[in-house]
Amino acid sequence: SRSLGIAGVADLVEMRSGGGSETPYPVEFKRGKPKAHRADEAQLCAQALCLEEMFGRSVPEGALYYAGTKRRVVVAMGEELRSLTHATIDALTDVFTRGVTPPPTSDRLRCRACSLVDQCRPGAAGRDVTGWRRRRVAASLRETAP
């Protein structure tokens, strides 16, 4: 989407017939099960926004397919989800504009399936050399003690 400044690759876009024309229907594939947060829905909505710009047609819904449940979950592209998605796009645009990486999450369970865990290095966040130095000095004093 040139207007939103986002780009991506949809897993699947079905073309649904109705009203004499075809409407894009994005489908996003996920490994696990539906989650308590709305990140998957916002990702799907971002795809719908891109498709709307590309096709010049409203994309009222799409689907998330979860391999863990082997089910599709239909997602309506309502105003609340669109607002959340726009707010997320704005926040990410700000991150890129400022060039400041946000701190890693304190919820380490979210890190397991993250594709950026090697770049983020959440285990190193918040560490400083002072604590390491204090532990090394204490260890060396124990080693040299009679």
Side-chain angles (χ1 to χ4, degrees), residues 13-77:
V13 177
E14 298 174 350
M15 297 304 289
R16 300 269 173 111
S17 296
S21 61
E22 292 189 320
T23 300
Y25 187 90
V27 180
E28 180 67 22
F29 293 87
K30 297 295 180 185
R31 288 188 292 198
K33 298 181 266 188
K35 298 159 192 76
H37 57 74
R38 300 192 72 191
D40 293 347
E41 294 173 64
Q43 179 185 2
L44 185 68
C45 185
Q47 292 174 12
L49 294 171
C50 290
L51 291 167
E52 287 177 345
E53 187 173 314
M54 291 170 64
F55 285 87
R57 300 187 49 80
S58 175
V59 177
E61 66 180 24
L64 295 165
Y65 175 82
Y66 289 99
T69 60
K70 295 182 176 51
R71 299 274 187 262
R72 272 189 184 193
V73 176
V74 175
V75 177
M77 302 301 158

Side-chain angles (χ1 to χ4, degrees), residues 23 25 42 52 54 59 63 80 85 99-100 110 117 122 125 144:
T23 300
Y25 187 90
E52 287 177 345
M54 291 170 64
V59 177
E80 182 184 346
T85 304
V100 177
R110 292 182 61 196
V117 71
T144 59

Side-chain angles (χ1 to χ4, degrees), residues 67-128:
T69 60
K70 295 182 176 51
R71 299 274 187 262
R72 272 189 184 193
V73 176
V74 175
V75 177
M77 302 301 158
E79 286 308 311
E80 182 184 346
L81 179 56
R82 287 172 183 267
S83 292
L84 171 66
T85 304
H86 279 286
T88 303
I89 292 168
D90 291 345
L92 285 171
T93 300
D94 185 56
V95 166
F96 287 118
T97 301
R98 289 186 302 117
V100 177
T101 305
T105 178
S106 58
D107 181 1
R108 298 295 184 239
L109 292 177
R110 292 182 61 196
C111 299
R112 291 185 310 182
C114 180
S115 61
L116 298 175
V117 71
D118 291 335
Q119 289 80 19
C120 178
R121 299 183 60 223
R127 293 185 183 175
D128 63 21

